[in-house]
Amino acid sequence: QVQLVESGGGLVQAGGSLRLSCAASGRAFGGYYMAWFRQAPGKEREFVAAIRSGGSTYYAASVKGRFTISRDNAKNTVYLQMNTLSPEDTAVYYCAARFGSPVVTDSQSYDYWGQGTQVTVSS
């Protein structure tokens, strides 16, 4: 069993930056495939970024070049550095985990979810 707790959301102006963190409980964090998804009001949950246990990363086209996912296995934590934010990035951001390889962009592939953290970007 893994518990995920996100933090770092907030209100930021367009063009600004935020760093989200997701702290995981439980053992064998290093073996988990970690991802960030987001959900805006009235929209479906969408893939943002993912990172394999070995460090390979994947990004949605809409965030590539602006967002960076990373992990610190010693701290059981995954991060999402978000730069050049726009109002279109406003959403609740969720951390997700799966032991083993998921279908990266498919939210239903992930077994564990955090409670979400709100990111609001003002224009």
Side-chain angles (χ1 to χ4, degrees), residues 8-20 38 40-41 66-67 82-93 117-123:
L11 174 64
V12 64
Q13 288 188 331
S17 298
L18 282 174
R19 188 176 82 155
L20 306 183
R38 66 186 181 185
R66 299 188 298 123
F67 291 11
M82 306 185 295
N83 299 328
T84 320
L85 285 161
S86 73
E88 289 70 33
D89 296 314
T90 295
V92 177
Y93 284 69
T117 186
Q118 176 71 47
V119 172
T120 303
V121 185
S122 63
S123 57

Side-chain angles (χ1 to χ4, degrees), residues 3-63:
Q3 291 187 327
L4 305 173
V5 179
E6 302 98 334
S7 61
L11 174 64
V12 64
Q13 288 188 331
S17 298
L18 282 174
R19 188 176 82 155
L20 306 183
S21 299
C22 172
S25 65
R27 294 175 292 181
F29 173 79
Y32 280 84
Y33 207 110
M34 303 298 297
W36 288 96
F37 286 77
R38 66 186 181 185
Q39 188 166 18
K43 295 187 177 181
E44 293 187 353
R45 191 168 297 190
E46 65 172 358
F47 170 77
V48 175
I51 185 166
R52 297 174 60 98
S53 58
S56 299
T57 57
Y58 305 88
Y59 295 95
S62 59
V63 306

